[in-house]
């Protein structure tokens, strides 16, 4: 995300009017934001803000005060469409300050009609002063709440970081839901861990002390690099250092939570986390004018409480986003997320990204899923009831912050209607988790009754439009409405009396917003106008009058309308406050509904897709019967109608701990690797898995090294990225980790890559307990199964025929005899000449591969080091012959003959120009 938070300067011209002086005064307090300045039905922007907004929003740039010689650039957007334009600016990396009219504007002076002779006499209602305006909210990427900016099933995190010389604190919150948590790291890699967590959270904005730049890494400062932030699409917002001061930040939190100590939140001895959390509250109180009461708790967490899935693994396994741009169908979340509510969708994402390590919790979820999966009618009934439940968490946040509209309260009311039936359905289940959820589910019957009684059935989106409060709820409001609604009948009666008394049958009583009520008489009937009529306006073809009776009626109606609007706003405000007072109950119910939604979703998946319940082992055994890849299985059904080929897997803590998987490209090696990782994640999430049976250990981390990519912006080649990711795995893996490796070493020269891959397998073999699946085209690695006790070979089978090869996609014991790379190239359409030449080159160089294998094997057998040779087969033969010759017995003539023979032998195998004698397909 481009960072547009730099100060946007004002033009240097001196404001000439009170309005522009008001604008520049407010703008000076928010120099880093585009100011949306409310003028009637529009938000206007002036000076440099207008230039920027017009360019970014593609709207017309105009100007004012041209006649005075000082043109002020300006542009504007309609207030009713402002959310759309604000969303565009936020997505482009800008901040937007919303400046509203905080008092009702008085009726502005009106010029007399061009057809009239004098101005209206109601001059007493004209404005005497400038309408007061204030910034009511600053919208930033991290504080956005509008539906145009936040996805229903995703969190929108604002984060803050605070670093010391030995400890780093991170706090994050979602303003739209009230989720608020913090953590800390120590050690030299704390900055890297923080960056990783920000990626994991997909934070939109990060706050940091001004003195701790995020783009440099002096001693004791946060070592973020610009490219990392670009990958994160973060807006970086520096704030004053004193906002992170331990005493100030701590007091901010104490005052906000109304407590005397933060120990109850697990924040004792967490100074940097407290500093970051306090800075977040400071920032929100400074930019958000509404209440923050929905941020009613903060939780301290540590990443080791869940299975750790770093950003590389999340990306490689395509949990949330596809590896390549395009349809989001190729992701795990696409397969799993059939939740009915936004709350359930966010909880599901959280469970997938943080699989549990608590076996008791996992089993409780699985018990709940199993019971519901066995009752299809109950499962369907629960999901049906949840369809009419809106996002209670985000509705509640709007209510507390004072931004909830009448329709938001109506959505909340409608969401509470199905709760009694939902509780009855949940109450019929016997699993402990269902009983717990049934007990915690508050029907909120009193709040539902209040909203049903007070709120109109279909209220307007804006309170100013009227009709928000239901008829019969408030006596005075009903009377005022009756007076306002009876206007047509009263005017008709008054018009009939005036026609009878004056004899003017064409006389009409009308109304407009400028002149109010008036009697209109045509020019032909002016002689019949009585003296009690007061002239109000002269037109070309008529005269307009008023009477004492008409003025008195107008005063009553206008006063009634004004009082009706004020009273309705007061009643709505009280209704919103009543809902806010029940925030803890609503929040608890929202959390329960989210859990019910996810569990019902899991049960539905298990039933429809034939998933099985996993069990967990204590001895490290990993055994899967007929496992399938959940995403590819669904894509096959939807697109080609193909049936996915399932495969078994067996691993244990001793003899089958590292599997080397060989076979052709497109044969299914990568699919096999990924589906094992995905099933492990699903199992620890509490979901059934795509297999006929599954026994798994609890993994603390899953690592993946898959695919080839570079990072040119950071000066990293494909191979450097590959080695960096591999280094993280080897340095971080524990005995309880699962490692997925796909084609280690292919980013460099063949011998180098093979040597590295060989050494990686040996290294993993020495790490007791760790499980690894290693897909490779280096067939030499298969010999490790004969040398290392915990290494086993598997291969993806193919069927050969005269027409080519057929991928059977079956994983079987043993190793593949070759990679079939040339056959795959033929299927891809390479010219026949290229295919033929490739086969010749392959045959020529296979001897060199075998020679390297023997060197490696010999070295491994003897436990010694080995030196990779650069000789071709012919050169090896020459070296062996020279080693056998006794030079003391060789005559000069024999020596010359031998030299000529060697030269001839070497010339016969001279490499072709531009090729290395070691270049052969890997």
């Amino acid at each position: 995300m481009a960072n547009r938070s730099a100060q946007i300067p004002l033009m240097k011209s001196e404001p000439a009017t009170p309005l522009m002086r008001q604008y520049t005064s407010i703008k000076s307090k928010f120099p880093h934001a585009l100011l949306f300045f409310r003028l009637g039905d529009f938000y206007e922007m002036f000076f440099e803000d207008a230039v920027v907004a017009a360019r970014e929003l593609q709207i017309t740039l105009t100007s004012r005060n041209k006649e005075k010689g000082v043109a002020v650039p300006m542009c504007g957007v309609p207030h009713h469409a402002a959310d759309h334009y604000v969303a565009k600016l936020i997505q482009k990396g800008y901040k937007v300050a919303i400046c509203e009219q905080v008092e009702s504007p008085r009726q502005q002076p009106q010029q007399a009609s061009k057809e009239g002779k004098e101005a209206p006499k109601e001059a007493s209602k004209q404005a005497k002063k400038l309408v007061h305006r204030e910034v009511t909210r600053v919208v930033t990427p991290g504080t956005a709440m509008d539906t145009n900016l936040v996805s229903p099933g995703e969190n929108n995190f604002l984060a803050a970081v605070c670093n010391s010389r030995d400890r780093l604190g991170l706090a994050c919150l979602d303003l739209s839901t009230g989720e608020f948590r913090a953590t800390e790291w120590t050690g030299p890699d704390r900055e890297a861990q923080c960056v990783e967590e920000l990626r994991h959270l997909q934070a939109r904005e990060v706050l940091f002390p001004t003195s701790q730049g995020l783009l440099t890494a002096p001693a004791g400062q946060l070592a973020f690099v610009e490219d990392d932030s670009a990958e994160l699409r973060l807006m970086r917002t520096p704030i004053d250092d004193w906002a992170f001061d331990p005493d100030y930040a701590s007091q901010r939190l104490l005052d906000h939570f109304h407590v005397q100590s933060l120990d109850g939140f697990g924040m004792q001895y967490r100074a940097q986390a407290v500093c970051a959390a306090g800075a977040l509250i400071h920032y929100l109180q400074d930019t958000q004018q509404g209440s923050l009461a929905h941020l009613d708790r903060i939780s301290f967490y540590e990443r080791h409480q869940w299975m750790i899935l770093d950003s590389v693994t999340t990306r490689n396994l395509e949990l949330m986003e596809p590896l390549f741009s395009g349809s989001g169908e190729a992701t795990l979340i696409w397969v799993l997320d059939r939740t009915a509510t936004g709350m359930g969708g966010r909880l599901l994402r959280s469970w997938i990204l943080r699989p549990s390590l608590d076996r008791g919790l996992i089993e409780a979820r699985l018990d709940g899923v199993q019971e519901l999966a066995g009752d299809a009618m109950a499962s369907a009934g629960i999901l049906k009831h949840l369809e009419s439940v809106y996002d209670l968490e985000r509705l509640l946040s709007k209510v507390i912050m004072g931004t909830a509209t009448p329709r938001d309260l109506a959505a909340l009311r409608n969401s509470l209607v199905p709760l009694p039936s939902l509780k009855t359905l949940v109450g019929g289940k016997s699993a402990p988790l269902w009983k717990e959820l049934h007990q915690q589910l508050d029907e909120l019957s009193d709040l539902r009754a209040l909203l049903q009684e007070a709120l109109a059935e279909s209220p307007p989106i804006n309170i100013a439009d009227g009709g928000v409060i239901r008829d019969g709820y408030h006596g005075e409001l009903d009377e005022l409405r009756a007076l306002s609604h009876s206007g047509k009948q009263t005017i008709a009666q008054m018009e009939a009396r005036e026609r009878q008394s004056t004899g003017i049958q064409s006389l009409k009583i009308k109304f407009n917003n400028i002149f109010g009520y008036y009697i209109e008489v045509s020019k032909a009937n002016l002689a019949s106008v009585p003296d009690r009529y007061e002239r109000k306006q002269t037109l070309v073809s008529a005269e307009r009058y008023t009477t004492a009776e008409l003025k008195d009626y107008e005063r009553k109606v206008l006063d009634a309308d004004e009082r009706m609007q004020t009273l309705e706003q007061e009643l709505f405000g009280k209704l919103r406050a009543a809902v806010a007072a029940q925030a803890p109950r609503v929040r608890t119910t929202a959390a329960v509904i989210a859990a019910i939604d996810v569990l019902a979703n899991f049960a539905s998946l298990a039933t429809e897709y034939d998933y099985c319940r996993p069990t967990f082992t204590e001895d490290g055994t990993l055994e899967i019967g007929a496992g399938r890849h959940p995403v590819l299985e669904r894509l096959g059904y939807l697109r080609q109608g193909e049936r996915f080929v399932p495969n078994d897997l067996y691993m244990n803590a001793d003899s089958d701990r590292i599997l080397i998987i060989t076979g052709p490209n497109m044969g299914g090696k990568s699919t096999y690797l990924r589906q094992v990782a995905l099933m492990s994640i699903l199992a620890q999430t509490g979901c059934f898995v795509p297999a006929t049976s599954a026994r798994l250990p609890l993994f603390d981390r899953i690592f993946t090294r898959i695919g080839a990519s570079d990072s040119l912006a950071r000066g990293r080649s494909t191979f450097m990225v590959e080695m960096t990711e591999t280094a993280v795995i080897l340095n971080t893996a524990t005995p309880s980790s699962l490692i997925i490796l796909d084609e280690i070493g292919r980013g460099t020269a063949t011998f180098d890559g093979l040597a590295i891959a060989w050494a990686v397998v040996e290294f993993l073999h020495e790490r007791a307990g760790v499980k690894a699946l290693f897909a490779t085209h280096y067939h030499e690695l298969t010999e490790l199964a004969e040398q290392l006790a915990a290494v086993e070979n598997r291969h993806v089978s193919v069927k050969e025929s005269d027409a080519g090869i057929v991928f059977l996609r079956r994983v079987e014991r043993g190793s593949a005899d070759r990679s079939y790379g040339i056959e795959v190239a033929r299927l891809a359409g390479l010219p026949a000449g290229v295919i033929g030449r490739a086969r010749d080159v392959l045959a020529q160089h296979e001897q060199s591969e075998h020679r390297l294998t023997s060197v490696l094997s010999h070295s491994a057998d003897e436990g010694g080091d080995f030196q990779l040779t650069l000789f071709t087969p012919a050169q090896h033969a020459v070296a062996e012959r020279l080693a056998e010759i006794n030079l003391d017995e060789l005559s000069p003539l024999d020596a010359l003959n031998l030299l000529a023979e060697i030269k001839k032998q070497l010339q016969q195998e001279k490499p072709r120009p531009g090729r290395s004698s070691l270049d052969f397909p890997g």
Side-chain angles (χ1 to χ4, degrees):
M1 174 181 293
N3 191 19
R4 311 286 189 172
S5 58
Q7 180 170 330
I8 301 172
L10 288 168
M11 293 284 187
K12 295 182 178 179
S13 56
E14 184 67 23
T17 66
L19 179 69
M20 295 312 298
R21 285 195 291 271
Q22 183 187 55
Y23 172 86
T24 54
S25 174
I26 296 173
K27 172 63 182 177
S28 66
K29 300 175 184 177
F30 300 92
H32 301 286
L34 296 170
L35 184 63
F36 271 40
F37 190 75
R38 182 70 178 267
L39 280 177
D41 291 335
F42 282 81
Y43 286 109
E44 301 287 358
M45 284 148 280
F46 301 99
F47 302 114
E48 188 66 20
D49 279 13
V51 176
V52 173
R55 181 185 69 242
E56 299 291 355
L57 298 176
Q58 295 295 295
I59 58 178
T60 302
L61 179 67
T62 182
S63 61
R64 58 181 288 156
N65 293 342
K66 289 181 181 179
E67 67 281 359
K68 298 182 180 179
V70 184
V72 175
M74 67 175 290
C75 67
V77 298
H79 78 93
H80 60 81
D83 289 344
H84 169 71
Y85 293 104
V86 171
K88 276 190 173 182
L89 291 171
I90 296 301
Q91 289 165 351
K92 289 176 177 288
Y94 293 94
K95 298 180 179 179
V96 178
I98 308 296
C99 182
E100 296 285 3
Q101 299 172 167
V102 295
E103 63 180 4
S104 299
R106 301 182 181 182
Q107 181 177 330
Q108 298 299 311
Q110 302 290 341
Q111 298 295 326
S113 170
K114 292 182 179 179
E115 295 177 296
K117 301 299 183 182
E118 63 181 48
K121 295 183 179 180
E122 288 78 6
S124 60
K125 291 185 179 181
Q126 296 177 359
K128 301 294 185 182
K129 63 178 182 179
L130 194 64
V131 174
H132 184 59
R133 294 176 175 85
E134 290 180 358
V135 170
T136 58
R137 188 182 177 205
V138 178
V139 185
T140 71
T143 62
M145 296 179 64
D146 186 78
T147 53
N148 291 321
L149 290 169
V150 294
S151 173
E154 299 179 20
N155 285 103
N156 189 68
F157 282 114
L158 169 70
V161 292
C162 187
N163 199 12
S164 68
R165 293 191 177 274
D166 61 353
R167 189 175 292 271
L168 185 149
L170 167 70
C172 58
L173 61 82
D174 184 343
L175 189 63
S176 68
T177 66
E179 185 174 351
F180 193 4
R181 56 179 185 251
T183 189
E184 277 190 357
W185 295 275
T186 59
D189 63 341
R190 61 188 183 277
E191 290 90 353
Q193 292 187 62
C194 183
V195 172
E196 184 62 50
E197 183 67 359
L198 287 171
R199 283 197 185 99
H200 192 72
L201 294 169
Q202 296 184 308
R204 296 287 305 282
E205 182 178 2
V206 58
L207 314 178
F208 60 95
T210 303
S211 65
Q212 294 188 5
L214 284 178
L215 305 183
T216 58
Q221 295 187 8
L222 194 59
F224 281 61
V225 295
E226 186 170 6
D227 295 299
D228 287 331
S229 296
E231 289 176 6
L232 287 164
R233 297 184 60 79
L234 275 173
M235 170 177 277
R236 301 178 296 275
T237 302
I239 59 176
D240 294 332
D241 286 18
W242 54 263
F244 290 86
D245 178 77
D247 293 335
Y248 176 80
S250 177
Q251 193 59 50
R252 279 285 191 181
L253 293 174
L254 293 173
D255 293 343
H256 175 76
F257 293 122
H258 306 292
V259 295
Q260 294 183 343
S261 170
L262 297 175
D263 293 357
F265 300 112
M267 302 286 282
Q268 64 271 34
Y269 312 118
R270 307 291 186 180
Q272 296 306 304
V274 168
C275 291
L280 281 179
I281 295 297
H282 162 83
Y283 181 71
L284 291 178
Q285 290 174 341
D286 197 40
T287 59
Q288 313 298 309
Q289 302 302 312
S291 170
L292 301 175
H294 65 300
L295 301 174
D296 57 2
R297 72 195 73 171
I298 183 173
S299 59
F300 186 86
Y301 72 98
E302 307 218 24
R303 290 192 71 189
H304 62 68
Q305 294 173 342
W306 310 286
M307 178 199 289
I308 296 177
L309 301 171
D310 58 27
S311 59
V312 174
T313 298
T314 302
R315 181 181 69 250
N316 285 338
L317 295 180
E318 299 179 290
L319 299 184
M320 300 295 155
E321 296 179 356
L323 272 174
F324 305 102
S325 60
S327 172
E329 291 182 355
T331 62
L332 182 64
I333 192 68
W334 169 75
V335 172
L336 297 184
D337 191 4
R338 302 198 305 185
T339 54
T341 68
M343 303 165 290
R346 290 191 297 275
L347 183 62
L348 173 61
R349 293 176 72 92
S350 177
W351 284 8
I352 293 174
L353 294 173
R354 295 180 178 83
S356 179
L357 293 176
D358 184 340
R359 181 168 177 176
L361 175 60
I362 298 171
E363 295 288 5
R365 292 176 182 173
L366 292 172
D367 287 342
V369 173
Q370 182 170 347
E371 182 176 10
L372 198 58
D375 189 346
M377 291 185 62
S379 177
I382 288 176
L383 291 174
K384 185 66 175 178
H385 281 82
L386 290 175
E387 288 177 357
S388 57
V389 177
Y390 290 81
D391 197 329
L392 296 180
E393 289 179 334
R394 286 185 168 159
L395 289 174
L396 181 63
S397 296
K398 287 184 176 183
V399 168
I400 293 176
M401 296 187 70
T403 60
T405 66
R407 287 187 184 173
D408 289 330
L409 287 194
L412 178 61
R413 174 198 62 198
N414 297 339
S415 299
L416 303 182
V417 172
L419 295 192
S421 299
L422 181 63
K423 185 162 187 175
T424 300
L425 284 172
V426 173
K429 300 300 166 190
S430 59
L433 184 54
W434 286 119
K435 290 183 177 180
E436 181 181 344
L437 293 173
H438 174 265
Q439 183 179 2
Q440 294 176 352
L441 182 57
D442 187 343
E443 296 180 22
L444 299 167
S445 55
D446 53 338
L447 186 60
R448 181 179 70 252
L450 173 63
L451 291 172
Q452 288 175 331
E453 180 184 3
L455 203 62
E457 184 63 29
S458 299
I461 191 170
N462 295 314
I463 181 67
D465 294 336
V468 172
I469 303 300
R470 188 184 293 270
D471 289 338
Y473 177 70
H474 193 275
E476 181 183 356
L477 181 61
D478 290 343
E479 293 177 2
L480 293 171
R481 282 176 173 169
L483 178 61
S484 177
H485 295 162
S486 65
K488 290 184 178 181
Q489 181 179 355
T490 303
I491 290 298
Q493 293 173 351
M494 190 181 301
E495 185 179 77
R497 288 199 306 271
E498 291 299 326
R499 286 178 177 178
Q500 183 177 2
S501 65
T502 62
I504 305 174
Q505 296 304 311
S506 61
L507 179 149
K508 295 180 180 179
I509 298 180
K510 298 181 179 180
F511 174 85
N512 66 37
N513 291 326
I514 298 176
F515 294 99
Y517 287 97
Y518 55 86
I519 301 172
E520 186 171 288
V521 179
S522 62
K523 292 286 188 179
N525 293 296
L526 291 183
S528 303
V529 173
D531 294 338
R532 58 189 176 86
Y533 278 26
E534 298 179 19
R535 190 171 63 84
K536 197 167 187 177
Q537 185 185 17
T538 299
L539 305 179
V540 173
S541 59
E543 292 283 344
R544 291 176 174 175
Y545 300 91
T546 188
T547 65
E549 180 186 13
L550 189 57
K551 287 193 292 185
D552 183 59
Y553 175 77
E554 180 183 63
R555 188 178 304 109
K556 287 181 180 180
V557 170
L558 294 180
D559 288 348
D561 287 343
E562 184 177 353
R563 171 57 182 159
M564 183 169 59
Q565 185 178 28
T566 301
L567 182 57
E568 195 159 30
Q569 289 176 342
E570 292 175 357
L571 293 172
F572 180 74
K574 290 179 180 179
L575 188 60
R576 194 161 55 188
V579 175
Q582 303 301 320
R585 295 172 60 199
V586 177
R587 183 188 296 280
T588 299
T589 294
V592 172
I593 290 175
I596 293 173
D597 194 3
V598 176
L599 293 175
N601 174 60
F602 282 170
S604 176
L605 292 171
T607 301
E608 182 174 349
Y609 298 161
D610 194 24
Y611 288 2
C612 76
R613 175 173 180 162
T615 59
F616 296 96
T617 61
E618 299 289 348
D619 60 359
T621 299
L622 172 55
E623 186 174 15
I624 295 173
R628 292 117 53 198
H629 191 295
V631 180
L632 295 186
E633 180 183 37
R634 301 316 310 160
L635 289 175
Y637 277 125
L638 293 177
R639 293 178 180 173
Q640 294 88 19
E642 297 179 1
R643 182 172 179 81
F644 189 90
V645 178
N647 277 294
D648 299 336
L649 171 72
Y650 177 79
M651 301 177 77
N652 58 37
D654 302 313
S655 60
D656 294 65
R657 192 161 50 81
I658 300 174
L659 301 185
I660 295 179
I661 305 167
T662 52
N665 287 311
M666 297 177 60
K669 299 191 304 296
S670 296
T671 298
Y672 186 67
L673 268 59
R674 285 177 168 90
Q675 72 187 39
V676 176
L678 292 176
M679 279 188 273
S680 300
I681 292 171
L682 289 177
Q684 291 182 225
T685 296
C687 181
F688 283 23
V689 300
T692 58
S693 63
R695 299 172 60 234
L696 310 99
L698 289 178
F699 292 114
D700 62 355
R701 291 196 66 154
I702 293 180
F703 295 94
T704 62
R705 161 86 281 279
I706 295 173
S709 62
D710 55 33
S711 183
L712 299 180
R714 283 178 283 175
R716 295 182 182 180
S717 66
T718 299
F719 183 61
M720 187 61 179
V721 171
E722 179 183 344
M723 290 299 99
T724 300
E725 294 178 0
T726 304
V728 170
I729 295 173
L730 299 183
N731 292 323
T732 313
T734 74
S736 298
S737 298
L738 174 65
I739 299 175
I740 304 297
L741 299 173
D742 196 354
E743 301 297 347
I744 289 292
R746 67 178 177 180
T748 187
T750 303
F751 283 2
D752 286 350
L754 174 56
I756 292 171
W758 188 290
V760 166
V761 175
E762 291 181 336
F763 182 89
L764 292 175
H765 185 267
E766 297 304 314
R767 300 291 293 272
V770 65
K771 291 181 173 60
L773 287 90
F774 195 135
T776 183
H777 284 292
Y778 293 137
H779 289 272
E780 296 81 359
L781 296 182
T782 60
E783 297 188 13
L784 287 171
E786 301 175 4
Q787 303 171 24
L788 304 177
V791 176
E792 289 290 330
N793 286 324
R794 300 289 186 272
H795 73 281
V796 180
S797 58
V798 299
K799 182 179 180 180
E800 296 185 74
S801 66
D802 294 339
I805 61 172
V806 177
F807 301 112
L808 301 179
R809 309 193 191 283
R810 297 289 303 175
V811 177
E812 301 175 350
R813 287 187 173 273
S815 61
D817 55 352
R818 52 197 175 97
S819 291
Y820 298 93
I822 295 177
E823 291 300 321
V824 174
R826 184 185 62 80
L827 292 175
L830 263 65
V834 173
I835 298 299
R837 177 56 184 163
R839 289 194 173 113
D840 293 341
V841 174
L842 177 62
Q844 180 181 355
H845 292 295
E846 278 182 338
Q847 293 183 23
S848 186
E849 286 190 75
H850 296 154
R851 176 64 179 171
L852 176 61
T853 302
S854 64
V855 172
L856 292 174
S857 300
H858 180 71
S859 175
D861 290 339
E862 297 183 354
D865 297 330
F866 64 85
Q867 176 70 38
L868 291 180
T869 179
L870 300 180
F871 292 159
T872 67
Q875 291 168 337
H876 279 296
V878 169
E880 291 175 354
R881 185 171 180 184
L882 287 174
E884 296 173 354
I885 293 176
N886 187 343
L887 296 179
D888 293 335
E889 299 178 355
L890 195 66
S891 69
L893 181 60
D894 290 338
L896 288 174
N897 290 333
L898 175 63
L899 184 60
E901 183 180 342
I902 290 174
K903 182 177 180 181
K904 180 180 180 181
Q905 183 176 354
L906 292 177
Q907 286 177 336
Q908 289 176 347
E909 198 178 12
K910 184 177 180 180
R912 298 176 65 186
R915 291 176 180 260
S916 165
S917 62
L918 298 181
D919 288 339
F920 58 86

